[in-house]
Amino acid sequence: MNIIPPRSNVSRSITSDDYRDVIRAAADMLELCNTRHGLYPSGYAVAHAQVSERPFRFFVTNNGDIVMNPIIIRKTKTPVKRIEGCLSYPDNKPIEVMRSNKCEVEYEVLNPITRIATKQVENMSGLQAQIFQHEIDHMDGHCIYDA
């Protein structure tokens, strides 16, 4: 599995019928997340949209969490400048991106052993909020380097 150039494809939501495929892809995505890509020694997360032309709506964090069907419920109205890079563009230097510093996100975490997804609603800030917004952008067909 390799990281592919971003596409404007919007990821489709995951159902329990998709869990086997998600778990299979997640293992490879975790490895990609923890591998050097160009300027980046590793990444915080990899969205399925970065590795598939027919993406599911999930991403894998560098500690192995499988985050499915995330949606931002609420976020701060005034964004702040954040510096971000993207593994989809391994040779591009990080750039300034406007992000909400705080957001409330609803998502599911899939346990690959039990194949049970746990729904969560979490208030996030700082780096965690930035990571979730970045990966949700990928799932919505957007990238930080889009003009």
Side-chain angles (χ1 to χ4, degrees), residues 54-125:
R54 294 178 36 185
F56 288 120
R57 191 167 185 82
F58 82 99
F59 66 91
V60 175
T61 66
N62 60 2
N63 65 2
D65 289 336
I66 302 171
V67 177
M68 303 186 314
N69 303 322
I71 56 168
I72 296 174
I73 299 170
R74 190 173 32 232
K75 60 185 175 181
T76 53
K77 292 180 181 172
T78 306
V80 295
K81 291 179 184 176
R82 306 291 297 208
I83 301 295
E84 290 185 20
C86 183
L87 296 180
S88 293
Y89 292 93
D91 299 319
N92 287 18
K93 291 182 180 178
I95 62 170
E96 271 188 358
V97 178
M98 299 302 287
R99 294 275 185 216
S100 294
N101 191 49
K102 294 181 181 181
C103 60
E104 184 177 10
V105 182
E106 180 180 296
Y107 62 99
E108 299 167 83
V109 175
L110 179 61
N111 181 315
I113 296 168
T114 64
R115 293 191 179 167
I116 295 173
T118 307
K119 191 173 193 174
Q120 300 183 20
V121 176
E122 187 173 352
N123 289 310
M124 300 177 180
S125 63

Coordinates of all heavy atoms in Angstrom, one line a residue, residues 54-125:
R54 N -11.1 4.6 -3.8 CA -12.5 4.4 -3.4 C -12.5 4.3 -1.9 O -12.7 3.3 -1.2 CB -13.1 3.1 -4.0 CG -13.2 3.2 -5.5 CD -13.7 1.9 -6.1 NE -14.7 1.3 -5.3 CZ -15.2 0.1 -5.5 NH1 -14.9 -0.5 -6.6 NH2 -16.1 -0.4 -4.7
P55 N -12.3 5.5 -1.2 CA -12.0 5.6 0.2 C -13.2 5.4 1.1 O -14.3 5.8 0.8 CB -11.4 7.0 0.4 CG -12.0 7.8 -0.7 CD -12.2 6.8 -1.9
F56 N -13.0 4.7 2.2 CA -13.9 4.7 3.3 C -13.6 5.9 4.2 O -12.5 6.5 4.2 CB -13.6 3.4 4.2 CG -14.1 2.1 3.6 CD1 -13.2 1.1 3.4 CD2 -15.4 1.9 3.3 CE1 -13.6 -0.1 2.8 CE2 -15.8 0.7 2.7 CZ -14.9 -0.3 2.5
R57 N -14.6 6.3 5.0 CA -14.4 7.4 5.9 C -13.8 7.0 7.2 O -14.4 6.9 8.2 CB -15.8 8.1 6.1 CG -15.7 9.4 6.8 CD -17.0 10.2 6.7 NE -16.9 11.5 7.2 CZ -16.4 12.5 6.6 NH1 -16.0 12.4 5.3 NH2 -16.3 13.7 7.1
F58 N -12.4 6.9 7.2 CA -11.7 6.6 8.4 C -10.2 7.0 8.3 O -9.8 7.2 7.2 CB -11.8 5.1 8.8 CG -10.9 4.1 8.1 CD1 -9.7 3.7 8.7 CD2 -11.2 3.6 6.9 CE1 -8.9 2.8 8.1 CE2 -10.4 2.7 6.2 CZ -9.2 2.3 6.9
F59 N -9.6 7.1 9.4 CA -8.2 7.3 9.4 C -7.5 6.5 10.6 O -8.2 6.1 11.5 CB -7.8 8.8 9.5 CG -8.1 9.6 10.7 CD1 -7.2 9.7 11.8 CD2 -9.3 10.2 10.8 CE1 -7.5 10.4 12.9 CE2 -9.7 11.0 12.0 CZ -8.7 11.0 13.0
V60 N -6.2 6.3 10.5 CA -5.5 5.6 11.5 C -4.5 6.6 12.1 O -3.8 7.3 11.3 CB -4.8 4.4 10.8 CG1 -3.9 3.7 11.9 CG2 -5.8 3.4 10.3
T61 N -4.4 6.6 13.4 CA -3.4 7.5 14.1 C -2.1 6.7 14.2 O -2.0 5.5 14.1 CB -3.9 7.9 15.5 OG1 -4.0 6.7 16.3 CG2 -5.2 8.6 15.4
N62 N -1.0 7.4 14.5 CA 0.3 6.8 14.6 C 0.4 5.9 15.8 O 1.4 5.2 16.0 CB 1.4 7.8 14.6 CG 1.3 8.8 15.7 OD1 0.4 8.8 16.6 ND2 2.2 9.8 15.7
N63 N -0.6 5.9 16.7 CA -0.6 4.9 17.8 C -1.6 3.7 17.5 O -1.8 2.9 18.4 CB -0.9 5.6 19.1 CG -2.3 6.1 19.2 OD1 -3.1 6.0 18.3 ND2 -2.6 6.8 20.4
G64 N -2.1 3.7 16.3 CA -2.9 2.5 15.9 C -4.4 2.7 16.1 O -5.2 1.7 15.8
D65 N -4.9 3.8 16.6 CA -6.4 4.0 16.7 C -7.0 4.0 15.3 O -6.5 4.7 14.4 CB -6.7 5.2 17.4 CG -6.4 5.2 18.9 OD1 -6.4 4.0 19.4 OD2 -6.2 6.2 19.5
I66 N -8.1 3.3 15.1 CA -8.9 3.4 13.9 C -10.1 4.3 14.1 O -11.0 3.9 14.8 CB -9.3 1.9 13.5 CG1 -8.1 1.0 13.3 CG2 -10.2 2.0 12.2 CD1 -8.5 -0.4 13.1
V67 N -10.1 5.5 13.6 CA -11.1 6.5 13.8 C -12.0 6.5 12.6 O -11.6 6.8 11.5 CB -10.5 7.9 14.0 CG1 -11.5 8.9 14.2 CG2 -9.5 7.8 15.2
M68 N -13.3 6.1 12.8 CA -14.3 6.0 11.7 C -15.4 7.0 11.8 O -15.8 7.4 12.9 CB -14.9 4.6 11.8 CG -14.0 3.5 11.7 SD -14.8 1.8 11.6 CE -16.1 1.9 12.9
N69 N -15.8 7.4 10.6 CA -17.0 8.3 10.5 C -17.0 9.6 11.3 O -18.0 9.9 11.9 CB -18.3 7.5 10.7 CG -18.4 6.3 9.8 OD1 -18.1 6.3 8.6 ND2 -18.9 5.2 10.4
P70 N -15.8 10.2 11.4 CA -15.8 11.4 12.2 C -16.5 12.6 11.6 O -16.5 12.8 10.4 CB -14.3 11.8 12.3 CG -13.7 11.2 11.0 CD -14.5 10.0 10.7
I71 N -17.2 13.4 12.5 CA -17.8 14.6 12.0 C -17.6 15.7 13.1 O -17.6 15.4 14.3 CB -19.4 14.4 11.7 CG1 -20.1 13.9 13.0 CG2 -19.6 13.5 10.6 CD1 -21.6 14.0 12.9
I72 N -17.4 16.9 12.6 CA -17.2 18.0 13.5 C -18.6 18.5 13.8 O -19.3 18.9 12.9 CB -16.3 19.1 12.9 CG1 -14.9 18.5 12.7 CG2 -16.3 20.3 13.8 CD1 -14.0 19.4 12.0
I73 N -19.0 18.5 15.1 CA -20.3 19.0 15.5 C -20.3 20.5 15.7 O -21.2 21.2 15.4 CB -20.7 18.3 16.9 CG1 -20.7 16.8 16.6 CG2 -22.0 18.8 17.4 CD1 -20.9 16.0 17.9
R74 N -19.1 20.9 16.3 CA -19.0 22.4 16.6 C -17.6 22.7 16.7 O -16.7 21.9 17.0 CB -19.7 22.6 18.0 CG -19.9 23.9 18.5 CD -20.7 24.1 19.8 NE -20.5 23.0 20.7 CZ -21.5 22.3 21.2 NH1 -22.7 22.6 21.0 NH2 -21.3 21.3 22.1
K75 N -17.2 24.0 16.3 CA -15.9 24.4 16.4 C -15.8 25.9 16.7 O -16.8 26.6 16.5 CB -15.1 24.1 15.1 CG -15.6 24.7 13.9 CD -14.9 24.2 12.7 CE -15.5 24.7 11.4 NZ -14.7 24.2 10.2
T76 N -14.7 26.4 17.1 CA -14.6 27.8 17.4 C -14.7 28.6 16.1 O -14.4 28.2 15.0 CB -13.2 28.1 18.0 OG1 -12.2 27.6 17.2 CG2 -13.1 27.6 19.4
K77 N -15.3 29.8 16.2 CA -15.6 30.6 15.1 C -14.4 31.3 14.5 O -14.3 31.6 13.3 CB -16.7 31.7 15.4 CG -18.0 31.0 15.7 CD -19.1 32.0 16.1 CE -20.4 31.3 16.4 NZ -21.4 32.1 16.9
T78 N -13.4 31.6 15.3 CA -12.2 32.3 14.9 C -11.1 31.4 14.7 O -10.6 30.9 15.7 CB -11.9 33.5 15.9 OG1 -13.0 34.3 16.0 CG2 -10.7 34.3 15.3
P79 N -10.7 31.1 13.5 CA -9.6 30.1 13.3 C -8.2 30.8 13.7 O -8.1 32.0 13.7 CB -9.6 29.8 11.8 CG -10.3 30.9 11.2 CD -11.2 31.5 12.2
V80 N -7.2 29.9 13.9 CA -5.9 30.4 14.2 C -4.9 29.8 13.2 O -5.2 28.8 12.6 CB -5.4 30.0 15.7 CG1 -6.3 30.7 16.7 CG2 -5.5 28.5 15.8
K81 N -3.8 30.4 13.0 CA -2.8 29.9 12.1 C -2.1 28.7 12.7 O -1.6 28.8 13.8 CB -1.8 31.0 11.7 CG -2.3 32.1 10.9 CD -1.3 33.2 10.6 CE -1.9 34.4 9.9 NZ -0.9 35.4 9.7
R82 N -2.0 27.7 11.9 CA -1.3 26.4 12.3 C -0.3 26.1 11.2 O -0.6 26.3 10.0 CB -2.3 25.3 12.5 CG -3.4 25.5 13.5 CD -3.0 25.7 14.9 NE -2.4 24.4 15.3 CZ -2.4 24.0 16.6 NH1 -3.0 24.7 17.5 NH2 -1.9 22.9 16.9
I83 N 0.8 25.5 11.5 CA 1.7 25.0 10.5 C 1.4 23.5 10.3 O 1.4 22.7 11.3 CB 3.2 25.2 11.0 CG1 3.5 26.7 11.3 CG2 4.2 24.6 10.0 CD1 3.4 27.5 10.0
E84 N 1.3 23.1 9.0 CA 1.0 21.7 8.7 C 1.7 21.3 7.5 O 2.0 22.1 6.6 CB -0.5 21.5 8.4 CG -1.4 21.7 9.6 CD -2.9 21.4 9.3 OE1 -3.2 20.7 8.3 OE2 -3.7 21.8 10.0
G85 N 2.0 20.0 7.5 CA 2.5 19.4 6.3 C 1.6 18.2 6.0 O 0.6 18.0 6.7
C86 N 1.9 17.5 4.9 CA 1.0 16.4 4.5 C 1.8 15.3 3.8 O 2.6 15.6 2.9 CB -0.1 16.9 3.5 SG -1.3 15.7 3.0
L87 N 1.6 14.1 4.3 CA 2.3 12.9 3.7 C 2.0 12.7 2.3 O 2.7 12.0 1.6 CB 2.0 11.7 4.6 CG 2.5 11.7 6.0 CD1 2.2 10.4 6.7 CD2 4.0 11.9 6.1
S88 N 0.8 13.2 1.8 CA 0.5 13.1 0.4 C 1.4 13.9 -0.5 O 1.5 13.6 -1.7 CB -1.0 13.5 0.2 OG -1.9 12.6 0.8
Y89 N 2.0 14.9 0.1 CA 3.0 15.7 -0.6 C 4.3 15.7 0.1 O 4.7 16.6 0.8 CB 2.5 17.2 -0.7 CG 1.2 17.3 -1.6 CD1 0.0 17.2 -1.0 CD2 1.4 17.5 -3.0 CE1 -1.2 17.4 -1.8 CE2 0.2 17.6 -3.8 CZ -1.0 17.6 -3.2 OH -2.1 17.7 -4.0
P90 N 5.0 14.6 0.0 CA 6.2 14.3 0.9 C 7.3 15.3 0.7 O 8.2 15.5 1.6 CB 6.6 12.9 0.5 CG 6.1 12.7 -0.8 CD 4.8 13.5 -0.9
D91 N 7.4 16.0 -0.5 CA 8.5 16.9 -0.7 C 8.1 18.4 -0.5 O 8.9 19.3 -0.7 CB 9.0 16.7 -2.1 CG 9.6 15.3 -2.3 OD1 10.3 14.8 -1.3 OD2 9.4 14.7 -3.3
N92 N 6.8 18.7 -0.2 CA 6.3 20.0 0.1 C 6.6 20.4 1.5 O 6.4 19.6 2.4 CB 4.8 20.2 -0.2 CG 4.5 20.1 -1.7 OD1 5.3 19.7 -2.5 ND2 3.3 20.6 -2.0
K93 N 7.1 21.6 1.7 CA 7.4 22.1 3.0 C 6.0 22.4 3.7 O 5.0 22.7 3.1 CB 8.2 23.4 3.0 CG 9.6 23.1 2.5 CD 10.4 24.4 2.5 CE 11.9 24.0 2.1 NZ 12.7 25.2 2.0
P94 N 6.0 22.3 5.1 CA 4.8 22.7 5.8 C 4.4 24.1 5.5 O 5.3 25.0 5.2 CB 5.2 22.5 7.3 CG 6.3 21.5 7.2 CD 7.1 21.8 5.9
I95 N 3.1 24.4 5.5 CA 2.6 25.7 5.3 C 1.6 26.2 6.4 O 1.2 25.3 7.2 CB 1.8 25.8 3.9 CG1 0.6 24.8 3.9 CG2 2.8 25.5 2.8 CD1 -0.3 25.0 2.7
E96 N 1.3 27.5 6.4 CA 0.3 28.0 7.4 C -1.1 27.6 6.9 O -1.4 27.8 5.7 CB 0.4 29.5 7.4 CG 1.4 30.0 8.5 CD 1.3 31.5 8.7 OE1 0.5 32.2 8.0 OE2 2.0 32.0 9.5
V97 N -1.9 27.1 7.8 CA -3.3 26.7 7.5 C -4.1 27.3 8.6 O -3.7 27.3 9.8 CB -3.4 25.2 7.5 CG1 -4.9 24.8 7.3 CG2 -2.5 24.5 6.5
M98 N -5.3 27.8 8.3 CA -6.2 28.3 9.3 C -7.1 27.2 9.8 O -7.7 26.5 9.0 CB -7.1 29.4 8.7 CG -6.3 30.6 8.2 SD -5.3 31.4 9.4 CE -6.5 32.2 10.4
R99 N -7.0 27.0 11.1 CA -7.8 25.9 11.8 C -8.4 26.4 13.0 O -7.9 27.3 13.7 CB -6.8 24.8 12.2 CG -6.1 24.0 11.1 CD -7.0 22.9 10.6 NE -6.3 22.1 9.6 CZ -6.9 21.6 8.5 NH1 -8.2 21.7 8.3 NH2 -6.2 20.9 7.7
S100 N -9.5 25.8 13.4 CA -10.1 26.1 14.7 C -9.3 25.4 15.7 O -8.8 24.3 15.6 CB -11.5 25.5 14.7 OG -12.4 26.1 13.8
N101 N -9.0 26.2 16.8 CA -8.2 25.6 17.9 C -8.9 24.6 18.7 O -8.3 23.7 19.3 CB -7.6 26.7 18.7 CG -6.5 26.2 19.6 OD1 -5.6 25.5 19.2 ND2 -6.6 26.5 20.9
K102 N -10.3 24.8 18.7 CA -11.1 23.9 19.5 C -12.2 23.4 18.7 O -12.8 24.1 17.8 CB -11.7 24.6 20.8 CG -10.6 25.0 21.8 CD -11.3 25.6 23.0 CE -10.2 26.0 24.0 NZ -10.8 26.7 25.1
C103 N -12.6 22.1 18.8 CA -13.8 21.5 18.1 C -14.3 20.4 18.9 O -13.6 19.8 19.8 CB -13.4 21.1 16.7 SG -12.1 19.9 16.6
E104 N -15.6 20.1 18.7 CA -16.2 18.9 19.3 C -16.5 18.0 18.1 O -17.0 18.3 17.1 CB -17.6 19.3 19.9 CG -18.3 18.2 20.6 CD -19.6 18.6 21.3 OE1 -20.0 19.8 21.1 OE2 -20.1 17.8 22.0
V105 N -16.0 16.7 18.3 CA -16.1 15.7 17.2 C -16.8 14.5 17.7 O -16.6 14.0 18.8 CB -14.6 15.4 16.7 CG1 -14.7 14.4 15.6 CG2 -13.8 16.6 16.3
E106 N -17.7 14.0 16.8 CA -18.3 12.7 17.0 C -17.7 11.7 16.1 O -17.5 12.0 14.9 CB -19.8 12.8 16.7 CG -20.6 11.5 17.0 CD -22.0 11.7 16.6 OE1 -22.7 12.5 17.3 OE2 -22.5 11.1 15.7
Y107 N -17.3 10.5 16.6 CA -16.6 9.5 15.8 C -16.7 8.2 16.5 O -17.2 8.0 17.6 CB -15.2 9.9 15.6 CG -14.3 10.0 16.9 CD1 -13.5 8.9 17.3 CD2 -14.3 11.1 17.7 CE1 -12.8 9.0 18.4 CE2 -13.6 11.2 18.8 CZ -12.8 10.1 19.2 OH -12.0 10.2 20.4
E108 N -16.3 7.1 15.8 CA -16.3 5.8 16.3 C -14.9 5.3 16.3 O -14.1 5.6 15.4 CB -17.1 4.8 15.5 CG -18.6 5.2 15.4 CD -19.3 4.5 14.3 OE1 -19.7 3.3 14.6 OE2 -19.4 5.0 13.2
V109 N -14.5 4.5 17.3 CA -13.2 3.8 17.3 C -13.4 2.4 17.2 O -14.2 1.8 18.0 CB -12.4 4.1 18.6 CG1 -11.1 3.4 18.7 CG2 -12.1 5.6 18.8
L110 N -12.8 1.8 16.2 CA -13.0 0.3 15.9 C -11.9 -0.5 16.6 O -10.7 -0.2 16.4 CB -13.0 0.1 14.4 CG -13.1 -1.4 14.0 CD1 -14.4 -2.0 14.4 CD2 -13.0 -1.5 12.5
N111 N -12.3 -1.5 17.4 CA -11.3 -2.4 18.0 C -11.1 -3.5 17.0 O -12.0 -4.2 16.7 CB -11.9 -2.9 19.3 CG -10.9 -3.9 20.0 OD1 -10.3 -4.8 19.4 ND2 -10.8 -3.7 21.3
P112 N -9.9 -3.7 16.5 CA -9.6 -4.7 15.5 C -9.8 -6.1 16.0 O -10.0 -7.0 15.1 CB -8.2 -4.4 15.0 CG -7.6 -3.6 16.1 CD -8.7 -2.9 16.8
I113 N -9.6 -6.3 17.2 CA -9.7 -7.7 17.8 C -11.2 -8.1 18.0 O -11.6 -9.2 17.5 CB -8.9 -7.8 19.1 CG1 -7.4 -7.6 18.8 CG2 -9.1 -9.2 19.7 CD1 -6.6 -7.3 20.0
T114 N -12.0 -7.2 18.7 CA -13.4 -7.6 18.9 C -14.3 -7.2 17.8 O -15.4 -7.7 17.7 CB -13.9 -6.9 20.2 OG1 -13.8 -5.4 20.0 CG2 -13.0 -7.2 21.4
R115 N -13.8 -6.4 16.9 CA -14.6 -5.8 15.8 C -15.9 -5.1 16.3 O -16.9 -5.2 15.7 CB -15.0 -6.9 14.8 CG -13.8 -7.4 14.0 CD -14.2 -8.3 12.9 NE -13.0 -8.7 12.2 CZ -12.9 -9.6 11.3 NH1 -14.0 -10.3 11.0 NH2 -11.8 -9.9 10.8
I116 N -15.7 -4.4 17.4 CA -16.7 -3.6 18.0 C -16.3 -2.1 17.9 O -15.2 -1.8 18.2 CB -17.0 -4.0 19.5 CG1 -17.5 -5.4 19.5 CG2 -18.0 -3.0 20.1 CD1 -17.7 -6.0 21.0
A117 N -17.2 -1.3 17.4 CA -17.0 0.1 17.3 C -17.6 0.8 18.5 O -18.8 0.6 18.8 CB -17.5 0.7 16.0
T118 N -16.9 1.7 19.1 CA -17.4 2.5 20.2 C -17.6 3.9 19.8 O -16.6 4.6 19.3 CB -16.4 2.4 21.4 OG1 -16.1 1.1 21.7 CG2 -17.0 3.1 22.6
K119 N -18.8 4.4 19.9 CA -19.1 5.8 19.6 C -18.6 6.8 20.7 O -18.8 6.5 21.8 CB -20.6 6.0 19.3 CG -20.9 7.3 18.7 CD -22.4 7.3 18.4 CE -22.8 8.5 17.5 NZ -24.1 8.4 17.0
Q120 N -18.0 7.9 20.2 CA -17.5 8.9 21.2 C -17.8 10.3 20.7 O -17.9 10.5 19.5 CB -16.0 8.7 21.3 CG -15.5 7.4 21.8 CD -14.0 7.3 22.0 OE1 -13.3 8.3 22.1 NE2 -13.5 6.1 22.0
V121 N -18.0 11.1 21.7 CA -18.1 12.6 21.4 C -17.0 13.2 22.3 O -17.0 13.0 23.5 CB -19.5 13.1 21.7 CG1 -19.5 14.6 21.5 CG2 -20.6 12.5 20.9
E122 N -16.2 14.0 21.7 CA -15.0 14.5 22.4 C -14.8 16.0 22.1 O -14.8 16.4 20.9 CB -13.8 13.7 22.1 CG -12.6 14.0 22.9 CD -11.4 13.0 22.6 OE1 -11.6 12.0 21.9 OE2 -10.4 13.3 23.2
N123 N -14.5 16.8 23.1 CA -14.0 18.1 22.9 C -12.5 18.1 22.8 O -11.8 17.5 23.6 CB -14.4 19.0 24.1 CG -15.9 19.2 24.2 OD1 -16.5 19.6 23.2 ND2 -16.5 19.0 25.3
M124 N -12.0 18.7 21.7 CA -10.6 18.6 21.4 C -10.1 20.0 21.3 O -10.8 21.0 21.0 CB -10.4 17.9 20.0 CG -10.9 16.5 20.0 SD -10.7 15.8 18.4 CE -11.4 14.2 18.7
S125 N -8.8 20.1 21.5 CA -8.1 21.4 21.3 C -6.6 21.1 20.9 O -6.2 20.0 20.9 CB -8.1 22.2 22.6 OG -7.4 21.5 23.6

